[in-house]
Amino acid sequence: MNPAPGRLRAESLTLGYDGRDIIRDLSLTVPRAQVTAVIGPNGCGKSTLLRGLGRLLAPRSGQVTLDGKPLPRLSTRYIATQISLLPQTPAAPPGLSVADLVSRGRHPRQKWYQQFSSADQSVVRDALEATGMLDLADTPVEELSGGQRQRAWISMILAQETEILLLDEPTTYLDLAHQVELLELIRRLNRDHARTVVMVLHDISLAARYSDHIVAMKGGRIIARGHPAEVITAERLQDIFGLSAHVVPEPVAGRPHVIPLGSSGPAGSSPAPGAAVAAARN
């Protein structure tokens, strides 16, 4: 079955900061109702791309469109009901409780004459339950561990109830069990509610396992895109990351699984402990 036409598009997009281009002449149609993972080395433009898609960074040239309309022509409130963005390091005001933070996800859907309703409360509770944060609803955000804080922010994104979710390194600070739990949740949102997800991930094997579509970037450009089995190959990992690796099918679903060998390959000297894994995650 072919995916539905993409609602979110980047067209000849150039983005940057302080006179320096990070993304150059990039075009991308985000597959609708699919999970897309963006991979690539540090500094290649992954986070910059998400900021451009979410209208947090104005293009230097080109444009981002939603349903064919350039984002600057759409109201901020409307965009916030269609697209949610979780940046790498979100910040909450001091003293804000988890429940209050998650409730802010409902603001774009409220009118000046409409108070926080029982329906809103139900959505907030469901979001907290989905991320395992309900027991911490009254806890100030600054008292949470890094992993708990990340799950609180994910709860807020869920409460926003947008069709399109842009997630910049959503597994940051999470241990392996919570990483898998979160990615399973993202996949359920996609499968059960047709959410469109674009997420930046450093763990290439997890990206391959939990995404339908991979976008591989290097130097501000898209090097490859497509199904994980098409994009994640030993040759491409060498090209993008300078990493020698075996890519083998994992035993559950046959998705690509990366076994890093280091920058010099099996014939070279052995890397320092953990160096090969670190290279794959940067």
Side-chain angles (χ1 to χ4, degrees):
M1 183 175 65
N2 294 325
R7 299 184 63 199
L8 189 63
R9 294 173 54 90
E11 301 172 358
S12 302
L13 190 64
T14 297
L15 300 164
Y17 311 92
D18 300 325
R20 177 170 170 254
D21 290 343
I22 304 297
I23 300 286
R24 303 174 188 86
D25 194 30
L26 182 150
S27 295
L28 173 68
T29 298
V30 175
R32 188 172 187 178
Q34 292 191 14
V35 178
T36 296
V38 184
I39 64 171
N42 288 345
C44 72
K46 303 184 298 295
S47 297
T48 301
L49 174 60
L50 254 62
R51 288 174 60 83
L53 292 175
R55 209 180 76 165
L56 290 186
L57 186 61
R60 292 182 168 177
S61 62
Q63 63 180 359
V64 177
T65 64
L66 180 64
D67 298 328
K69 299 177 182 178
L71 291 189
R73 297 184 185 176
L74 302 172
S75 72
T76 299
R77 179 180 290 274
Y78 176 74
I79 292 174
T81 65
Q82 305 300 310
I83 304 172
S84 53
L85 170 62
L86 178 65
Q88 285 187 34
T89 53
L96 193 72
S97 73
V98 171
D100 288 338
L101 173 68
V102 178
S103 296
R104 293 187 172 202
R106 303 302 300 161
H107 289 179
R109 299 187 177 279
Q110 295 174 332
K111 304 293 191 297
W112 65 268
Y113 54 82
Q114 182 184 43
Q115 300 296 317
F116 199 76
S117 67
S118 59
D120 291 322
Q121 292 173 347
S122 178
V123 170
V124 168
R125 181 182 179 86
D126 289 346
L128 290 167
E129 283 187 330
T131 56
M133 292 295 290
L134 188 58
D135 290 343
L136 296 171
D138 296 326
T139 304
V141 174
E142 67 263 27
E143 294 181 10
L144 300 175
S145 69
Q148 290 169 337
R149 191 175 299 117
Q150 189 74 350
R151 285 189 283 151
W153 283 102
I154 291 288
S155 301
M156 191 197 75
I157 294 296
L158 296 182
Q160 201 170 331
E161 290 193 309
T162 59
E163 181 188 317
I164 301 171
L165 286 73
L166 308 178
L167 309 175
D168 195 355
E169 299 185 31
T171 57
T172 299
Y173 304 119
L174 300 180
D175 59 39
L176 181 58
H178 281 115
Q179 287 182 46
V180 171
E181 183 179 287
L182 175 61
L183 291 170
E184 291 282 356
L185 170 62
I186 289 170
R187 188 160 64 178
R188 287 198 305 274
L189 289 170
N190 166 255
R191 300 296 189 262
D192 298 344
H193 303 285
R195 301 285 182 92
T196 298
V197 181
V198 183
M199 57 182 178
V200 171
L201 288 181
H202 281 305
D203 190 310
I204 302 169
S205 295
L206 287 179
R209 181 174 179 180
Y210 287 101
S211 63
D212 306 296
H213 187 251
I214 295 280
V215 172
M217 295 185 64
K218 180 182 178 181
R221 300 181 185 278
I222 294 176
I223 301 299
R225 70 187 86 185
H227 188 273
E230 300 170 351
V231 174
I232 299 175
T233 65
E235 294 77 14
R236 194 158 280 130
L237 293 176
Q238 180 67 61
D239 177 41
I240 295 173
F241 296 96
L243 176 72
S244 294
H246 286 312
V247 178
V248 298
E250 49 90 359
V252 177
R255 294 297 186 97
H257 180 77
V258 178
I259 303 174
L261 302 176
S263 58
S264 58
S269 59
S270 299
V277 175
R281 292 177 62 87
N282 286 334

